[in-house]
Amino acid sequence: MGVRLKILAYVCLSTGVLWAYQIPWLPCNFIDEAVFYNSEGLVETKHSNREAMLQFGQKGDSPINPNAVTFLITSLKLDVRRFVEGVDSIDQLTCELQRYSTEGIHMRWPVRGEHEYNRWFTGKITDTKNQITVLSFIRQSTDKPPTGQHDYRNWTAIEDREILTTTVVMVMRTQTPSIKASLGSEKKLDCHFSLDHKAANVAVEWHKRGERTSLFSHNSQTGKSQGSGVAQKKLQTGDASYSIPYSKMSSEGIYMCSVTVLPLHGSLEISLQIEEAPKVSLNTGSSLTLTVGEEKKVICEAERYYPLDVDIQWTHQDEADVGRRVGAPLPKVLDNVLYSSHKPNPDRTLSLSAFFYLSPKLSDSGRQFTCTVSHQSLRVPIKKSFTLTVQEPSKWMFVAVFLGVVVLVIGLLLLLRNLLKGIS
């Protein structure tokens, strides 16, 4: 980065929260492409990464970075920066520029440009901290008419250090590119769009990847709508958000919000993942009393969680260390823990148990045992504990054991005598 860029970056980054006018430029990766026929006569595409700048200003402005390809945005009628206002620094934003093919559709854009024809590009800006994705369509006005072929077959070459005078004509934005939902929850998949002109012929569609039918579609020209989930009145203000009233396992997947204003077609992906937190329980209360020589199967069960990955760990801590904040050793991990298999439930959630057999000594009394369950749906792990109390066998127990042994011996002697009589 040159000295001038470093100074500008310092000015932008030192102002705290940035507003649109405080973002005079964005460094971008321009993914250029060249389409050609290979030796077998098949069409191939070669991509190359080029240094570029998205610069906001007036026609004739000098480039911020003279060594990069400059996309000079000259009209602020539709200012893409307003869709990422409030970021803490430019470092939060990533920018990717690409050529855009109209797939052979050549028609005038309602807002007249300097020349009759257009070349198209897309700009994708991502706010990595706040999870915002902005897709913009960038127009470069040109006096060169289309060749009659698909534009990607004959892209106009862009030289290094070239300045492209452009405008933004359509913007799409989602604040939920990745969203998580628990079973039964209501979720809204955010999708907004904005154009540089009113009364546009707009087609909006929602569909889920892997499914043939649309979830919702609307055409402003015909006024017809199909499906549900989108408030049609809000479409007039550019709000095409889709609502899921009750999240189910089948709700999980990739959703596509598409907006078409010919010859442009934009689409944003929104990933919805079901997450269900485990319900954790022990087969003991908060305390457990055992007698020396007695054995107990202690079970920690994590139930109805999703997705699969869950971690259950048993630890123990001596009575003297329980509750100590300073100088206490870390709890020790039990090494005799066994695990069940992941048990599927009817609602496709899962359950898992971790258990061990406890045969305590008298010195184990007062020890605290803790089951810790970790899962991606939990901000902090769930912990369940119990305190062990160990008792010595009572005198009556010794008497009962002694009498039991005596009865057993007498029974064996009588059996042996009867056997000997039968032999004689």
Side-chain angles (χ1 to χ4, degrees), residues 66-87:
N67 297 317
V69 178
T70 298
F71 289 77
L72 182 61
I73 308 296
T74 57
S75 174
L76 300 182
K77 185 175 182 179
L78 184 58
D79 193 346
V80 67
R81 297 174 296 178
R82 297 192 65 85
F83 292 84
V84 291
E85 278 186 329
V87 297

Side-chain angles (χ1 to χ4, degrees), residues 283-342:
N283 67 335
T284 67
S286 58
S287 61
L288 175 64
T289 301
L290 294 177
T291 302
V292 173
E294 186 180 358
E295 185 178 70
K296 171 74 174 178
K297 181 181 180 181
V298 182
I299 306 172
C300 178
E301 189 156 17
E303 298 179 282
R304 309 185 72 81
Y305 58 85
Y306 187 87
L308 179 67
D309 292 332
V310 69
D311 180 70
I312 306 179
Q313 186 181 68
W314 273 106
T315 58
H316 66 87
Q317 200 170 23
D318 291 337
E319 182 180 16
D321 298 324
V322 175
R324 285 177 56 188
R325 296 185 178 181
V326 180
L330 293 173
K332 297 178 181 178
V333 178
L334 292 177
D335 56 7
N336 60 335
V337 177
L338 302 174
Y339 295 88
S340 69
S341 59
H342 294 274

Side-chain angles (χ1 to χ4, degrees), residues 126-193:
T126 303
D127 181 347
T128 56
K129 181 179 179 180
N130 297 315
Q131 294 295 304
I132 298 174
T133 300
V134 177
L135 177 66
S136 60
F137 287 83
I138 301 170
R139 175 174 69 163
Q140 181 194 21
S141 186
T142 177
D143 57 359
K144 294 182 180 180
T147 61
Q149 296 182 339
H150 287 289
D151 40 13
Y152 61 82
R153 294 286 183 91
N154 191 25
W155 289 127
T156 301
I158 298 175
E159 303 296 331
D160 291 336
R161 304 182 180 183
E162 186 172 341
I163 301 175
L164 285 69
T165 302
T166 62
T167 58
V168 174
V169 301
M170 185 169 88
V171 177
M172 295 180 66
R173 184 208 65 191
T174 179
Q175 293 179 307
T176 57
S178 179
I179 189 170
K180 297 175 181 179
S182 58
L183 292 175
S185 65
E186 180 180 357
K187 287 296 175 181
K188 178 174 284 188
L189 311 185
D190 177 67
C191 182
H192 283 73
F193 65 93

Side-chain angles (χ1 to χ4, degrees), residues 396-407:
W396 287 110
M397 183 175 291
F398 282 117
V399 172
V401 172
F402 176 75
L403 291 176
V405 172
V406 170
V407 171

Side-chain angles (χ1 to χ4, degrees), residues 340-353:
S340 69
S341 59
H342 294 274
K343 177 185 174 183
N345 299 308
D347 61 358
R348 292 176 55 193
T349 59
L350 301 155
S351 298
L352 178 71
S353 60

